Amino acid sequence: MAERGERESPWRIHGMSVEGYRHRRQNLPCQDACAYTVSPSVAVLAAADGAGSRPRSDEGSRLAVELAAEHFGRRAAAAAGSHPGEAVHELLADAFHDVSKVFLDTTGADAADFATTLTVVVLAPGWLGHLTVGDGFVVLRAGTEDGERQFHLLPQAAAASEYSNETVFLTSPDAARWVRTDCVSDEGIDGLLLSTDGLVQAALNRSASGVQGPNASFAEAVFRSLDAPGPVSDSAHEGLAALLRSDRLTALNADDKTLLRAVRKGRA
């Protein structure tokens, strides 16, 4: 995972991408990637899932998250102190435009070979911004009910059409049309996890009516080691890697897996 120094951020952030069983068996690289960048005022988290059918999608996912950390961070830092609302949606859309332009300029005529999804979260004082294109997802931890921590799934980007579950990529024609942006203002948010679709079956549940929501037991488990004060320990890092490669999760989904998590310091 690409990352940049945590400095005095109010957030403790940790995560990784690991190759799935299919890629391990075929000796192929992980096509997921994640990155984050932090400053005293803003943190940006990004995850990407390269298209399995494209020959350079592993490079595409790494490029996407690096560009997202840079450009979303720059836009958010310049807008530090802005209030939640339409201005945040515009900031997210402008940053996505920056990322798309540089991504397409860098990959040139072969851009389709680098196809990847992209999901980004911006953490700023007073608000959380969320942008996604493709099938990544974000779960927030905020508030309690009857003493139990509550988890909330942010809305996901729409499929390419109501008749198809085809994934939209950063390189898809008219990709900006399918981008989803959200702005959340809730001082009770003290944790979030961001993932690619390789963890959908583990991290989310589907109700009898077909509505997806967070799997609270999974979320509690992956937040637990990050809630401990101080730097992320080696055992916590190794524990997350072991979980993502575990037979239990592989049985649910053999795809590459990414989990990027953040908790607000002092709120455990």
Side-chain angles (χ1 to χ4, degrees), residues 141-197:
R141 183 176 71 181
T144 60
E145 187 172 312
D146 297 328
E148 298 290 332
R149 285 257 179 77
Q150 297 298 295
F151 301 95
H152 314 272
L153 176 66
L154 288 180
Q156 294 170 272
S161 81
E162 61 180 309
Y163 305 108
S164 170
N165 61 358
E166 178 185 352
T167 300
V168 179
F169 298 109
L170 189 59
T171 51
S172 297
D174 202 18
R177 176 184 173 194
W178 303 106
V179 167
R180 167 92 195 200
T181 62
D182 295 282
C183 177
V184 181
S185 179
D186 183 350
E187 291 297 333
I189 296 172
D190 65 2
L192 68 96
L193 63 85
L194 189 160
S195 182
T196 55
D197 70 335

Side-chain angles (χ1 to χ4, degrees), residues 6 11-15 36 45 141 190-193 219-233 236-237 240 259-266 268:
E6 290 202 39
W11 296 90
R12 183 180 299 111
I13 304 172
H14 177 253
Y36 69 87
L45 296 80
R141 183 176 71 181
D190 65 2
L192 68 96
L193 63 85
E220 286 279 15
V222 298
F223 278 127
R224 192 170 296 125
S225 63
L226 201 60
D227 278 326
V232 179
S233 67
H237 182 84
L240 181 59
L259 186 64
L260 190 52
R261 53 198 177 145
V263 299
R264 195 186 294 272
K265 296 173 183 175

Side-chain angles (χ1 to χ4, degrees), residues 16-24 30-33 47-52 117 119 134-138 156 167 169 193-205 212 215 218 222 240 243-260:
M16 65 183 66
S17 297
V18 302
E19 72 285 353
Y21 174 73
R22 286 195 297 265
H23 286 165
R24 290 201 300 273
C30 179
Q31 293 169 340
D32 276 12
D49 180 359
T117 68
T119 303
D135 48 16
F137 64 92
V138 175
Q156 294 170 272
T167 300
F169 298 109
L193 63 85
L194 189 160
S195 182
T196 55
D197 70 335
L199 284 176
V200 164
Q201 291 86 352
L204 304 180
N205 291 323
Q212 280 188 317
N215 177 348
F218 179 86
V222 298
L240 181 59
L243 171 66
L244 295 181
R245 292 191 173 101
S246 66
D247 291 343
R248 179 166 62 91
L249 293 194
T250 296
L252 294 173
N253 191 317
D255 200 2
D256 298 335
K257 295 174 178 63
T258 291
L259 186 64
L260 190 52

